[in-house]
Amino acid sequence: MTTYSIPARVAHVVRHEGEPQVFLMRLPDGPPVVLEGTGATIWLLAVDGVDDVAAAVADAVGECREAIADDVEAYLVKLVEIGLLEVRSD
Amino acid sequence: MPWSVGIRFAHAAVQVLADDHGVDLLHIKGPAVDESLLDHERHSIDADVLVRPAHVGRLIAAMHEHGWRTQYRFEDGSAFEHASTLVHPFLAPVDVHRRFPGIDADAEVAFERFWEERHVADLAGVPCAVPPVAAQRLLLIIHAARAGRLNHGDISRGWVAASEAERAAVVEVADAVAARVALAAGTGHLDEHIGAPGYELWKVLSTGDPSKAHLWVARVRAAPTRRAALRTAVRLLVPNRQRMEVSLGRRPTRREVVGAYFSRSRRGAREFVSTIRATVRERGGR
């Protein structure tokens, strides 16, 4: 399983008022990005080192893993592409 | 984006620029304050950094290269000329301090005193250097005193509720950076410094004296040299075009500048003139 971490030059602030919100900004120029709801949950699980993010999200939203795995994987790939997440090398 | 997030991101962005350009700076006030000195989240309007004086120009140049614009130069700010305000399209403003009002030691010496005992705080996930806790107490106390807010929570938490050992540590730092008068103003001991340089200024500031004339007199007399006294006196009399522009949202017309000049003049010309005369007489040999 791929694991993820927060890139060194990404500022992040997490807020838990109601649904989780994750504010992110590549430093030093940005622009800032906000992830909300499921998007925020996926990012938080990924940077928490969860091995199977899709399974964890499925468990959180009451779906079966297979139903959402492709979407979660695509979202993680996108986050890596835009520099808001990085694949852990260890 | 919530304002509090914009402030944290501003701290983080400035720290990265500092790292990239070899700039030493300390994050002060706002979210940089140690948790032990908080009883709730601090609501700030900007991000404050104290920069090694020799590195200030380098930092501001780097900020300009990354979308920041100088809104107020040092000379546009307070009479202390201690900070320059830079603004950004989507981040909170940053006040770049080259010194801190109330600290009378050489700015480089004072910075080094804080820098050598710095801690690291996490601001938006970025490791940021902050002054030691005793220095943070000192900065918060003298900042509140300067605003005439002697009942401010920063003084309650930073001094009133502090242990004897914690107070001693604050006094030690204040001695090291020549801030005893300002500290005394914030802790109710200013009368122990009657006659000391800065006493009159900090009495006016800390008591929230609304008289601009009194503040003129105190600021001019607190200036370390005759040249500085004259510069301060003139600065306080002449309207600041940059502040007028920000206030008006456009460049002030010549008529508006002249109007502001005479408005100020009428309010305080008599005190101004007598102050200059008195200061020149008193400091003739300096």
Side-chain angles (χ1 to χ4, degrees), chain B residues 194-216:
Chain B
I194 292 174
Y199 164 80
E200 198 173 345
L201 173 61
W202 283 90
K203 186 171 181 63
V204 172
L205 291 171
S206 63
T207 56
D209 186 335
S211 165
K212 290 190 180 298
H214 290 170
L215 194 54
W216 268 352

Side-chain angles (χ1 to χ4, degrees), chain A residues 9-13 15 23-25 27-29 31-32, chain B residues 1-2 4-5 9 13 16 20 66 90-91 124-126:
Chain A
R9 291 170 70 102
V10 168
H12 54 277
V13 175
R15 288 162 59 107
F23 296 90
L24 299 165
M25 189 178 114
L27 297 171
D29 297 323
Chain B
M1 180 165 64
S4 62
V5 175
F9 280 2
V16 164
D20 289 349
H66 288 271
F90 49 78
L91 297 173
V126 174

